[in-house]
Amino acid sequence: MSSDHNDLSETYILLLLSDSNLPTGAFVASSGLESYVKHGFPSPASSPESATIDFVRDSLASYARTALPFVSDAHRAVEEYALFQAQDGNQGEAGKGGGGLDGILKTLTDLDELYQAMTLNHVARRASMSQGVSLLTLYLKGFSRPPSQPVFSDAKSQDHEARTRTLFDKFKLKVRREEVSGHLPVCWGALTAALGLALERSQYLHLFLHARSLLSASVRLNDLGPYGAQQILLHIVQPLVAAEVTKCQNLRTGLLDSVFDEVSMGPANTWPLGEILAGRHDLQHSRIFNS
């Protein structure tokens, strides 16, 4: 019964996070698709559907190799922080050492700074920062327990929620002070770990949402119709997402590991053309998307 309840709870979290109405700002970013189309890279002989599928395939492969290591390490760090807090309920001791609040803030900051350094163009950085801080706000304003709601959870759960909220408050304050950028993969990993979503599902959902946002952008650009986009999402994108998760699920940044081969296990950008096109987004004469 407990296992079934946990599965239902995870499923409910997945439904919440996949809601297209979430105020995360993803709808203002095309992840380079608009620039790709406006610069004439789709072949004149290819259909809009095949051109979009080609872009989604390349973008998804590159994004998985770049972002999933940061999602995984942020998720792992927040999970370890929660475990540390569960084992040591003393607030005074929790602030000391790598397992306390200062330790997890430093870890998330280090991950964020590395992602900032690896994101080579200002347009992608801008979109990632906008969506990342939206996720922090989403947790604090949307997923935290309402003050007026009756409390049915035990003291241990309430303490966990309070400590997690403090973590997100502190990290968002660092973003406001411009001490950290608050990039999307880091904030996503932290958010899903805080909500109790398993790492594998966090990785899968993150890539699915990236692909879905690309198809949504294609619909807004009038290259695809809404039914065609759903058809591609079901029949074409599903195996692509599964393949990229399988390929990249064990990649890490190396910041949390003492022994690490950055060539085979580290993040990397595998599609330089996509990076260049995304960087030229602001040079278009007219734009639908902010990035």
Side-chain angles (χ1 to χ4, degrees):
M1 187 69 170
S2 176
S3 176
D4 291 342
H5 176 73
N6 290 336
D7 288 344
L8 288 174
S9 297
E10 271 210 333
T11 301
Y12 197 79
I13 294 297
L14 286 170
L15 292 171
L16 285 176
L17 291 175
S18 60
D19 184 357
S20 61
N21 289 320
L22 281 183
T24 58
F27 59 93
V28 303
S30 70
S31 300
L33 177 61
E34 184 176 16
S35 180
Y36 174 81
V37 172
K38 294 290 182 64
H39 281 86
F41 273 86
S43 169
S46 64
S47 65
E49 290 83 1
S50 62
T52 299
I53 291 170
D54 289 342
F55 184 89
V56 169
R57 180 182 292 108
D58 291 334
S59 178
L60 197 60
S62 182
Y63 187 74
R65 183 64 194 263
T66 305
L68 282 195
F70 292 90
V71 171
S72 300
D73 277 0
H75 189 283
R76 179 163 48 137
V78 172
E79 273 195 332
E80 290 175 356
Y81 169 72
L83 180 61
F84 177 87
Q85 298 298 341
Q87 293 174 346
D88 186 356
N90 188 306
Q91 181 65 38
E93 292 299 317
K96 301 177 182 178
L101 180 59
D102 291 342
I104 182 61
L105 285 173
K106 184 180 185 309
T107 298
L108 294 179
T109 299
D110 290 345
L111 288 170
D112 195 77
E113 288 176 349
L114 180 58
Y115 192 82
Q116 171 81 358
M118 288 198 60
T119 308
L120 303 181
N121 74 82
H122 68 286
V123 177
R125 285 179 176 177
R126 185 174 67 211
S128 179
M129 291 161 60
S130 172
Q131 294 176 64
V133 74
S134 293
L135 288 179
L136 298 177
T137 305
L138 176 64
Y139 182 85
L140 293 169
K141 292 188 175 182
F143 289 158
S144 59
R145 190 182 302 276
S148 59
Q149 180 183 347
V151 177
F152 298 107
S153 56
D154 56 24
K156 187 176 180 180
S157 297
Q158 294 175 43
D159 186 59
H160 168 73
E161 290 179 12
R163 292 178 190 275
T164 304
R165 182 179 179 86
T166 300
L167 168 61
F168 277 77
D169 270 326
K170 295 284 187 182
F171 193 65
K172 187 176 180 182
L173 182 60
K174 287 172 71 70
V175 175
R176 285 180 175 175
R177 290 174 174 171
E178 299 184 355
E179 299 172 357
V180 66
S181 300
H183 281 290
L184 172 61
V186 176
C187 294
W188 176 265
L191 172 72
T192 51
L195 294 174
L197 197 65
L199 175 57
E200 183 180 359
R201 292 191 172 186
S202 172
Q203 295 169 333
Y204 191 93
L205 182 57
H206 193 57
L207 289 191
F208 165 78
L209 292 177
H210 178 75
R212 190 185 71 177
S213 70
L214 290 175
L215 291 173
S216 176
S218 186
V219 172
R220 290 189 65 190
L221 289 167
N222 205 31
D223 283 336
L224 289 180
Y227 293 116
Q230 292 300 317
Q231 192 176 48
I232 292 172
L233 197 60
L234 175 61
H235 297 288
I236 307 298
V237 169
Q238 183 178 5
L240 293 179
V241 170
E244 294 304 329
V245 169
T246 300
K247 188 188 303 181
C248 301
Q249 62 184 346
N250 294 321
L251 298 181
R252 299 293 183 264
T253 65
L255 295 179
L256 306 184
D257 301 283
S258 55
V259 179
F260 182 73
D261 180 6
E262 64 180 19
V263 175
S264 61
M265 296 298 295
N269 190 305
T270 62
W271 192 33
L273 175 61
E275 191 80 22
I276 294 170
L277 288 172
R280 291 182 58 83
H281 179 86
D282 290 349
L283 300 179
Q284 299 172 103
H285 293 297
S286 61
R287 301 183 297 275
I288 295 176
F289 297 91
N290 290 342
S291 54

